[in-house]
Amino acid sequence: GTVRSEAGDEISTFQIVAGTGKEPDRHHCESQHVSNSNKFEIAIPVDEDYDNEDRVWVGIKADGFAVWQTILPEWEHEHVIDVRLNSGCRGSGRVANRSRFGETIAAHLLPQRTYESSPWSSRQTSERQEMGRMTVAVDPQGSFQFSGLAPGRYVLALSGPDVSPFSTLVEIGEHDRELGEFTLQGTGTISGIVWNRPESDLNSDEDPPLPTRHAFAEGSISFVDSAGHSNGNEFRHLEERSFRTDE
C-alpha cells in the first residue's frame, strides 16, 4: 500500500503494525518502521488462533498525524491499501489544584478496547491501544493538552509521586474538545505486620501456640484508581509495589 496525507502529500516515515484478530495483542502482530518511502509491504503472521479471530487488523502511525486503522475481512490473497492520514484533533484539560503538588504530574491517554481480548491475555493491552497511547506533562498552571487524536473512547489518567491514581473515560469526536477540570487527591501510607500462622493440634488440650511476627517476609500491594482500574499493563503507576518486612 501507500501512505499519504489527506491533501495527497506523500508520508515517507511511519510505523505499520498488522495482526490476526479485530484487536490483536502484540504477540499476534508484525511491525515495520518505514523511512524514505511512502510505500509498504507487510506479511501477516497467521497461527493456530486465526480460526478464532476471523479478521486482520492494520494500524499506521506517523508523527503529526492521528493513528489510522482498518480491519481486513480476511488474511488470504493480497490486499492493496491507499492510506490517507489526517492531523486528528486536540483534547485539553486542567488540574484545578495543581499548586498543591510540587512534583511532576503526568496526564495519560489510552484508547479503550473496542473488542474483548482473548481469555488467556485479558490483562494485556492490544497493539491498537499501544499505538494510541499518549503521555504529556501537566504544566505549573495545571493545563495539559493532547494532539493528533483519532475519534474514539479513551481512558484519561493522571498520576504523580504525590497523587492518588485518578482515571476517567472520555469521548473524542471529530473536533477539538475540553476534557474537563479535575481535582486530585494526595497520597497516604500503608503499614502493617505480617504474622506467622501457628499450627495447632486440634486433638490437644493445650492452648494453641501464639502467632509470631514474620521477619523479612516478602509481598506486594496492588492499587485501584478512582475509576476502579487496577491493570498495571494499562498504566505503569498501577503496577504492584513490592515490600519486605523488617527484622
Side-chain angles (χ1 to χ4, degrees), residues 94-106 137-144 159 161-163 182-184:
R94 183 174 179 273
V95 176
N97 58 342
R98 173 66 181 90
S99 59
R100 174 183 171 184
F101 306 99
E103 297 288 342
T104 300
I105 298 178
V138 178
D139 69 21
Q141 289 71 46
S143 299
F144 61 89
S159 69
D162 298 327
V163 176
F182 309 98
T183 300
L184 302 180

Side-chain angles (χ1 to χ4, degrees), residues 14-36:
F14 57 91
Q15 178 191 14
I16 177 170
V17 182
T20 54
K22 296 178 181 178
E23 189 160 356
D25 298 330
R26 179 163 297 177
H27 63 277
H28 284 151
C29 289
E30 184 74 18
S31 177
Q32 287 183 7
H33 289 271
V34 178
S35 59
N36 301 319

Side-chain angles (χ1 to χ4, degrees), residues 61 109-111 125 129-135 233-235:
K61 182 177 183 179
L109 209 57
L110 181 71
T125 51
Q129 289 178 288
E130 290 300 331
M131 288 191 83
R133 183 191 291 273
M134 296 183 182
T135 297
N233 290 305
E234 291 183 342
F235 300 108

